[in-house]
Amino acid sequence: GETMAGAMGRGDWYEAQWVSSGVMSAITSVSFDSQEELIWTGYQSGSIASHACPELDRYSSFTAHDTPICDILPLGNSVVSLSQSTLRIHSKGGLRMAGIPASSFQDAQLLCLSPARVRSGREPEAVLIGCDMPSMYVYDLEKQQLVKEVSLSQGISVIRQSRLVCCGGVRGEISLRDPQSYRVELTVDTGSGMICAMDVKDSLLAVCGLNSNQYGGLYVDPVIKVYDIRTLRALPSYPFPAGAYRIKFFPMFTSMVVALSQSGQVMIGDVQTGPASQQLYQMDLLGEPASAIDLSQSGEIICLGDGASNIREWVDREPARVNMYSKPTAWPRQPTLRNNHVGWDEEMPLSSVTNLEIPGSARQKL
């Protein structure tokens, strides 16, 4: 992969767009679409919205759940969303297509979502659901039902996948599991409380956890812990005093990450070579906490969400793309005026006035 110095030689990152989403609620989740130039945001209110990049024009907005959104997974023609109590699937325009009743999860608080059984170039066949109970659920997207419940030693707050399924626990343990059987192959005790940020790239695992201070309050670890899951060893930790509340690996590079603190500090650095060449940026959050981040598959756009429902788009070049190759986004067709001006006299029957052009498909239904 390209070195950190080579990557940074393309130019610094800067905020290219900033919009208020219009949903009067804190952003809890941000996810780039894998097939279209769209960014999806989930909210404390249970709503979901999507915006087109790079201008951040709103594409859709709908109420998906009654409880806060924990995670969003956009697919080809739909979007899977997880709230604290249930999973639902909607069309990208907001039509509900499938879901699971909250009773299926036995009162567990759901926390995270991850694609499963992904074959090269194809959609995932299933999704994994983590919760605060010592269980992980497998939901089959084709059958539209839960097909497996995997017993764990503790609840899991983050799920990421590379060669193995990496489950970050609510008490600081990471279990690495076989992607077919979900049997444990390795466990790592990070020495932290709940894992709040984790990502995996090839054999590198980057982790940040929450710890409690002497007064009972929680704080984010001031370092990013790094592990080589191929050699099963811990690598030197990467200092980030602001605390990595969220972390993502860049897709095109071996060990470069972007980390976000709740105070709005953004760090881009190489977790293998150390902080000498890192870049630090500070978002102006106007007093609101930073709450979510995602990195596009192209590695050209970083999207950040905050507690005041603002969406910020950062780029290091223009034009910037979400994906290397995206399919066109189908925007709703607006009715067009056939006549801008209608001539009118006493002899003209009202039935002759038709100022809306109705699409053919709609006329057939009438």
Side-chain angles (χ1 to χ4, degrees), residues 32-38 74-77 92 121-124 297 322-323 325-329:
F32 279 103
D33 201 290
S34 63
Q35 299 192 17
E36 301 179 48
E37 296 290 300
L38 295 173
L75 300 174
N77 298 308
K92 290 187 174 179
R122 297 190 184 181
E123 295 273 279
Q297 287 194 0
V322 172
N323 305 299
Y325 304 101
S326 283
K327 68 179 185 180
T329 296

Side-chain angles (χ1 to χ4, degrees), residues 1 10 21 36 54 66 156 168 176-177 280 285 317 322 327 339 350:
R10 289 195 303 263
S21 67
E36 301 179 48
D66 300 324
I156 48 177
L176 307 178
R177 296 172 177 269
L280 290 174
L285 293 172
R317 74 196 73 191
V322 172
K327 68 179 185 180
N339 299 317
L350 288 174

Side-chain angles (χ1 to χ4, degrees), residues 125 321 326:
E125 297 174 1
R321 302 162 293 180
S326 283

Side-chain angles (χ1 to χ4, degrees), residues 11 14 22 43 48 52 79 112 154 173 186 208 253 262 266 317 345:
Y14 60 94
Y43 297 84
I48 290 175
V79 57
C112 56
Q154 59 187 261
E173 181 185 88
L186 175 71
C208 213
F253 311 109
Q262 284 188 294
V266 178
R317 74 196 73 191
D345 60 36

